[in-house]
């Protein structure tokens, strides 16, 4: 049964009243129930774009933080890609000292309000958490991400974010290409060292995938904007509608415009298609286009949007990752009657976060497992009329370790659909490579960098995030932005 935030808060308050932070025993900590994340009622939220997870109350966050055993060997920290002092910030949260908690968080992560919402904690810090292990249930691990989110939101709402100190001007200039999490982190850390920083963004809005990819109902755009405002307040100049490689090449930036170093965080924004017949029909979208038109161009606002999406009745989303879940849940909110996730393997092999799959199911998204598309069928006007799918069974594991889907010949069948969203992955855009031949890339077009410094094969040019890792995660992009910034600061100091 759906419980409201108020109901969950009353239960948490009762638990909190039973314990004192100073005297609580290990056994008592282990006995505290995991706190449920308050969420909008599924029946209500499919009709709006507002955030699904509403966030813990103060009582809930303190109760959840009390569940942490403060392990001496800190396995959660080892599971965190940026080594946040997790027991440290959780202890402060348990004591209700959120100002100290955010200060600890910000030592390692520039964007805790974003990471607390979108990081896949269940395969990182929470996977290794002692409580989850002891209870043999990952869902029982301490909800590190939710506590992180609360502390970051508390700091934002109470104007209690730690001030960023900026070193005296060095006279050096750094260009940041791309305004996603890699670029934002690199820009902040380079600016802190006193360098002049200009960030160039191809789109008319900054924020990268955080703004144009991840939907509002998972990550409110006002939160991303606040982080960008912080950057501007630090003195970073953000130039929009500026496509590096076209507007100016990297060589122009360095040889003509006087930039001493460049960080490329241009992401992996080039959608992949399947190469099956019918992919050029009207009503076929890449997940990138679909989500960008919804998030960035407000296509869901049918009355006012300049580029509204037409009203689909039955949508097939091909793929089983987070992007596919975002596209399917967006389609539902855009008014589709039925939305299907079509995936070649079973739910067990799906790369999407468990929480996203759970939310999608709650919202009425249907899952057609063990089916692969072989053709998109059109009507006489060139519009999508159906999809031909072939049934699969699972074979031996492939290179990814997941069992390979094997098509069952002769099992093809046509299903009615009027829209298709292709969500089978993204590659990097080749523009910068094409216009900067010195930069070496691998066979997928990702920049090859030094592991320690994120330096590319071109002097003074560094890179990080999805352009290096391939489509990865926000926290990994941030981690690389930070690593590269340190190397850029060292490089400039030695010039
Ligand atoms: C729909 C979707 C959902 C996702 N959900 C999650 C999630 O829940 N959790 C998670 O951890 N990760 C998620 N990811 C992945 C995550 O968002 C990315 O790994 C991360 O944003 C990569 O950061 P980045 O800074 O490298 O690149 P991006 O965020 O892609 O930003 C790159 C920026 O560079 C700009 N750019 C590109 N080329 C140029 C150029 N030539 N000149 C100027 N600017 C340029 C782009 O317009 C873009 O704004 C999701 C991705 C998508 C697409
Ligand atoms: S592993 Fe879990 S219980 Fe142990 S310190 Fe980390 S969050 Fe706390």
């Amino acid at each position: 049964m759906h419980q409201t935030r108020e109901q969950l808060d009353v239960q948490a308050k009762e638990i909190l009243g039973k314990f004192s932070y100073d005297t609580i025993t290990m056994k008592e900590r282990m006995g505290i129930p995991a706190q449920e994340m308050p969420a909008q009622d599924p029946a209500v939220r499919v009709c709006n774009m507002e955030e699904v997870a509403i966030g813990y109350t103060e009582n809930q966050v303190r109760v959840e933080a009390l569940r942490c055993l403060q392990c001496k060997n800190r396995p959660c920290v080892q599971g965190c890609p940026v080594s946040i002092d997790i027991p440290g910030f959780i202890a402060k949260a348990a004591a209700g000292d959120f100002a100290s908690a955010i200060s600890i968080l910000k030592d390692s992560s520039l964007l805790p309000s974003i990471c607390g919402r979108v990081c896949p904690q269940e395969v990182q810090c929470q996977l290794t958490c002692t409580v989850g292990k002891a209870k043999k249930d990952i869902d029982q691990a301490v909800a590190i991400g939710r506590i992180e989110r609360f502390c970051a939101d508390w700091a934002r709402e109470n104007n209690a974010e730690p001030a960023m100190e900026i070193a005296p001007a060095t006279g050096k200039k750094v260009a940041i290409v791309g305004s996603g999490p890699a670029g934002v982190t690199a820009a902040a850390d380079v600016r802190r060292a006193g360098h002049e920083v200009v960030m160039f963004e191809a789109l008319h809005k900054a924020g990268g995938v955080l703004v144009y990819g991840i939907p509002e109902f998972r990550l409110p755009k006002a939160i991303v904007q606040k982080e960008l405002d912080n950057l501007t307040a630090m003195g970073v100049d953000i130039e929009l509608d500026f496509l590096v490689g076209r507007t100016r090449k990297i060589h122009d930036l360095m040889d003509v415009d006087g930039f001493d170093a460049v960080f490329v965080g241009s992401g992996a924004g080039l959608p992949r298609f399947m190469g099956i017949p019918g992919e050029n029909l009207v009503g076929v979208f890449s997940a990138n286009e679909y989500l960008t038109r919804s998030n960035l161009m407000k296509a869901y606002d049918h009355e006012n949007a300049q580029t509204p999406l037409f009203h689909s009745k039955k949508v097939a989303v091909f793929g089983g990752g987070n992007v596919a879940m975002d596209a399917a849940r967006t389609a539902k909110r855009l008014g589709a009657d039925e939305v299907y996730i079509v995936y070649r393997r079973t739910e067990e092999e799906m790369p999407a976060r468990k929480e996203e799959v759970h939310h999608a199911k709650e919202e009425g998204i249907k899952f057609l497992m063990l089916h692969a598309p072989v053709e998109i069928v059109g009507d006489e006007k060139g519009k999508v009329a159906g999809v031909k799918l072939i049934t699969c069974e699972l074979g031996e594991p492939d290179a990814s370790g997941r069992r390979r889907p094997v098509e069952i010949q002769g099992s093809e069948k046509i299903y009615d659909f009027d829209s298709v969203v292709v969500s089978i992955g993204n590659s990097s855009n080749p523009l910068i490579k094409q216009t900067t031949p010195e930069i070496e890339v691998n066979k997928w077009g990702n920049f090859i960098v030094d592991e320690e410094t994120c330096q590319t094969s071109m002097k003074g040019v560094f890179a990080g995030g999805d352009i290096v890792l391939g489509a990865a995660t926000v926290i990994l992009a941030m981690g690389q932005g930070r690593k590269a910034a340190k190397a850029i600061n060292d490089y400039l100091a030695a010039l």
Side-chain angles (χ1 to χ4, degrees):
M1 201 193 67
H2 181 80
Q3 297 206 73
T4 65
R5 193 167 192 250
E6 290 68 29
Q7 287 168 330
L8 293 167
D9 186 52
V10 169
Q11 293 160 25
K13 196 170 174 192
E14 213 170 281
I15 298 172
L16 203 57
K18 291 185 196 157
F19 302 109
S20 149
Y21 174 66
D22 298 320
T23 56
I24 187 167
T25 64
M26 287 293 173
K27 198 166 164 219
E28 285 169 334
R29 286 178 191 266
M30 283 296 284
I32 297 175
Q35 295 299 291
E36 185 181 326
M37 173 58 102
Q40 277 197 71
D41 188 322
V44 174
R45 70 186 192 230
V46 288
C47 303
N48 67 50
M49 279 286 167
E50 282 155 36
E51 195 172 15
V52 167
I54 309 170
Y56 278 160
T57 65
E58 187 168 330
N59 287 319
Q60 276 191 293
V61 82
R62 293 189 61 188
V63 170
E64 186 62 31
L66 279 180
R67 298 182 65 235
C68 170
L69 306 175
Q70 296 291 312
C71 313
K72 293 273 176 297
N73 57 344
R74 300 151 56 96
C76 49
V77 180
Q78 287 154 35
C80 171
V82 295
S83 304
I84 293 174
D85 173 6
I86 293 169
F89 94 79
I90 292 185
K92 297 294 179 193
D97 180 0
F98 303 117
S100 299
I102 192 65
S103 179
I104 296 174
L105 275 162
K106 284 256 172 172
D107 274 348
S108 312
S109 166
L110 187 73
L111 309 170
S113 56
I114 293 169
C115 293
R117 284 174 165 81
V118 303
C119 267
Q121 289 99 6
E122 66 282 2
V123 293
Q124 298 175 347
C125 52
Q126 289 175 199
L127 180 68
T128 50
C129 171
T130 311
V131 177
K133 291 231 149 141
K135 293 185 181 256
K136 296 192 173 50
D137 180 359
I138 177 76
D139 293 337
Q140 293 294 315
V142 175
I144 300 165
R146 294 173 180 178
I147 304 173
E148 175 185 24
R149 166 188 165 148
F150 178 93
C151 297
D153 288 356
W154 179 91
R156 194 180 58 253
E157 284 154 17
N158 291 282
N159 280 331
E161 294 189 322
M164 295 273 188
E165 304 244 328
I166 297 181
T170 60
K172 303 271 177 9
K173 262 172 85 174
V174 180
I176 307 283
V177 182
S179 62
V184 166
T185 310
D189 284 2
V190 170
R191 177 72 195 120
R192 274 198 265 197
H195 307 305
E196 187 183 332
V197 179
V198 184
M199 176 181 264
F200 298 105
E201 168 54 50
L203 294 173
H204 63 276
K205 244 189 179 162
V209 169
L210 305 179
V211 165
Y212 75 74
I214 304 179
E216 177 80 18
F217 56 80
R218 277 211 299 129
L219 178 61
K221 302 310 152 215
I223 290 173
V224 184
Q225 189 54 49
K226 179 70 174 53
E227 300 297 349
L228 294 164
D229 291 347
N230 288 346
L231 264 195
T232 316
M234 288 170 73
V236 173
D237 175 16
I238 305 179
E239 297 281 331
L240 302 174
D241 297 315
F242 194 113
L243 182 63
V244 174
R246 281 274 179 283
T247 319
R248 302 289 281 159
K249 297 193 176 77
I250 288 194
H251 284 290
D252 302 328
L253 295 175
M254 298 185 87
D255 303 340
V256 184
D257 303 336
F259 286 95
D260 301 287
V262 175
F263 172 78
V264 183
S266 53
L270 192 69
R272 282 192 213 130
F273 283 91
M274 294 167 297
I276 60 172
E279 273 184 309
N280 55 355
L281 289 167
V282 176
V284 180
F285 305 87
S286 69
N288 246 42
E289 178 192 347
Y290 198 73
L291 290 168
T292 304
R293 282 175 64 178
S294 171
N295 290 327
L296 206 56
M297 332 282 275
K298 307 282 174 241
Y300 54 83
D301 184 356
H302 291 289
E303 313 248 299
N304 301 310
Q306 288 178 340
T307 54
L309 282 160
F310 70 85
H311 183 243
S312 308
K313 288 197 171 62
K314 199 169 169 193
V315 182
V317 178
F318 298 161
N322 285 323
V323 182
M325 295 306 136
D326 282 345
R329 297 173 69 196
T330 297
K332 195 82 187 167
R333 284 163 175 76
L334 287 169
D337 299 333
E338 284 183 276
V339 183
Y340 282 79
I341 291 279
V342 178
Y343 183 57
R344 301 180 303 163
R345 296 177 162 105
T346 70
E347 192 173 325
E348 207 173 302
E349 290 82 26
M350 265 183 13
R353 292 185 71 188
K354 214 170 130 193
E355 184 177 318
E356 303 311 327
V357 175
H358 171 70
H359 279 150
K361 283 185 177 168
E362 278 188 335
E363 291 167 10
I365 308 295
K366 295 176 179 148
F367 286 69
L368 195 51
M369 300 288 105
L370 289 169
H371 280 78
V374 284
E375 184 182 344
I376 304 167
V377 184
D379 63 13
E380 64 290 348
K381 290 187 184 143
K383 290 186 182 160
V384 175
V387 171
K388 190 191 275 184
L389 302 175
I390 188 164
T391 310
C392 302
E393 59 188 357
L394 290 182
E396 293 302 309
D398 62 13
S400 72
R402 293 175 302 167
R403 289 181 66 189
R404 187 191 303 272
V406 181
E407 296 180 351
I408 303 172
Q409 294 312 316
S411 65
E412 295 91 338
K413 201 175 143 195
I414 294 179
Y415 296 77
D416 286 345
F417 282 105
D418 64 0
S419 307
V420 169
V421 182
V422 181
S423 179
I424 57 158
N426 278 351
S427 309
S428 56
N429 190 309
L431 178 64
I432 294 182
K433 163 64 195 157
Q434 282 164 0
T435 52
T436 325
E438 297 93 320
I439 295 180
E440 280 176 21
V441 298
N442 64 18
K443 64 177 173 180
W444 299 284
N446 300 329
F447 286 16
I448 296 171
V449 298
D450 180 286
E451 241 180 68
E452 290 307 311
T453 61
C454 289
Q455 160 96 46
T456 68
S457 51
M458 183 172 170
K459 190 165 180 274
V461 179
F462 299 74
D466 282 4
I467 185 67
V468 170
L469 301 168
T473 60
V474 172
I475 191 82
L476 289 176
M478 275 176 49
Q480 283 211 316
R482 175 146 283 184
K483 207 189 259 185
K486 183 177 176 310
I488 291 172
N489 291 338
D490 291 347
Y491 170 80
L492 294 179
L495 274 188

